[in-house]
Amino acid sequence: MVMWYRWLLLLLLLPINTLAANQLKSAVSGNFPDGLHAHFIEYISEQLNAEADIALMPYARRLIELDDGSIDMMVGVSGSAPIGNHTILLRPAYDNLSIGLFVLTGNESLFTEADDMRKHLLSLTRHANSDAILSEIPTAHIVPARSLEQKIEMLLKGRIDGFLHVTQSTKLRLKELGYTNRITQAVYQPPQVYKQYIAINNHSWLYAHKAELEAIIVNGIATGAFQSIRSDYYANGP
């Protein structure tokens, strides 16, 4: 009788443990809860036949929570990001991004060359793709921001002369907020293109599927799946 109860308990617990193991915990920016990153996470989850559990938090916080194991995976990680010892970048990069320099309409000529970034106050997100541009800007001229919303607010209030952020997502957000006539791109635009990686925690259940994940990335690039997700998102909006 005791043995029978043990087998019954095991059978009852097995489906629960299986579902828990297949839950993929990740996070995206609170500015874009259903943004492009969420779509990329959902795509990866579908390929793994896992259920995506997506939290909202700033970029820097995502890096911390990925490394401490609070989340399993993060997308949109730049090659220059300060990742921790428990974070692994999956190869190859799944996407490339450009960083735009945005100013108030009428101030487009405030930045006509790279050297102009050394003369004015600029806001950027620490530990994001724009970190690679920091060498061109004096520390005293950098105003850190945790979100795109904060950058937009500071620019509109005249606290900064411009800000750096991902070009396409910024244009979309400005359109949503009705600011396309108030904020535009400067004449000068940083020429760098930044590779974007998917990162996982090496203690996550995903680590055992590292080879499968990298095969999914390779296939997503080859079939144009990642590009289609991006194109559809920017064509249709959130």
Side-chain angles (χ1 to χ4, degrees):
M1 182 67 71
V2 174
M3 184 63 70
W4 184 84
Y5 277 116
R6 286 178 179 174
W7 278 109
L8 178 61
L9 181 62
L10 179 63
L11 289 173
L12 288 173
L13 290 177
L14 184 60
I16 297 174
N17 291 334
T18 301
L19 285 174
N22 286 336
Q23 186 178 64
L24 194 162
K25 294 181 179 180
S26 190
V28 299
S29 168
N31 289 331
F32 302 98
D34 190 33
L36 187 59
H37 283 180
H39 289 268
F40 284 141
I41 292 168
E42 288 165 1
Y43 170 76
I44 296 295
S45 298
E46 289 173 4
Q47 299 303 304
L48 289 171
N49 194 29
E51 179 184 353
D53 179 10
I54 305 175
L56 304 178
M57 62 186 76
Y59 184 86
R61 186 67 194 172
R62 276 175 270 164
L63 288 174
I64 293 171
E65 298 222 1
L66 175 63
D67 199 60
D68 70 19
S70 296
I71 59 176
D72 301 302
M73 184 185 83
M74 179 176 167
V75 302
V77 181
S78 65
S80 61
I83 61 175
N85 295 330
H86 300 298
T87 299
I88 296 175
L89 296 183
L90 301 179
R91 311 285 177 171
Y94 73 94
D95 200 7
N96 296 301
L97 291 181
S98 61
I99 300 296
L101 174 51
F102 292 84
V103 297
L104 290 176
T105 300
N107 290 344
E108 293 90 339
S109 297
L110 203 60
F111 300 91
T112 59
E113 58 185 10
D115 193 55
D116 288 333
M117 292 196 296
R118 303 178 61 84
K119 306 172 184 176
H120 305 284
L121 283 178
L122 279 174
S123 182
L124 50 81
T125 304
R126 291 286 192 180
H127 307 314
N129 298 285
S130 51
D131 263 6
I133 307 173
L134 285 177
S135 60
E136 302 179 29
I137 310 172
T139 303
H141 288 189
I142 297 174
V143 181
R146 294 199 308 169
S147 68
L148 174 57
E149 300 277 3
Q150 188 179 10
K151 296 174 186 178
I152 292 172
E153 181 181 1
M154 287 192 292
L155 183 62
L156 291 174
K157 291 183 177 180
R159 296 176 182 172
I160 55 175
D161 299 308
F163 67 78
L164 294 162
H165 204 84
V166 177
T167 303
Q168 288 176 298
S169 60
T170 301
K171 288 182 175 179
L172 181 62
R173 190 59 177 150
L174 291 174
K175 182 178 179 181
E176 292 172 355
L177 295 172
Y179 290 154
T180 53
N181 292 328
R182 301 183 64 185
I183 298 176
T184 189
Q185 287 183 267
V187 172
Y188 172 77
Q189 293 296 306
Q192 296 93 335
V193 174
Y194 301 94
K195 292 183 180 297
Q196 300 294 287
Y197 296 90
I198 294 171
I200 61 172
N201 180 284
N202 62 7
H203 293 305
S204 163
W205 68 272
L206 287 178
Y207 186 69
H209 300 272
K210 180 175 179 288
E212 182 182 354
L213 280 164
E214 293 186 327
I216 289 171
I217 295 171
V218 170
N219 185 64
I221 295 170
T223 61
F226 290 118
Q227 184 57 46
S228 293
I229 292 170
R230 173 175 285 281
S231 298
D232 291 346
Y233 177 74
Y234 285 116
N236 302 322

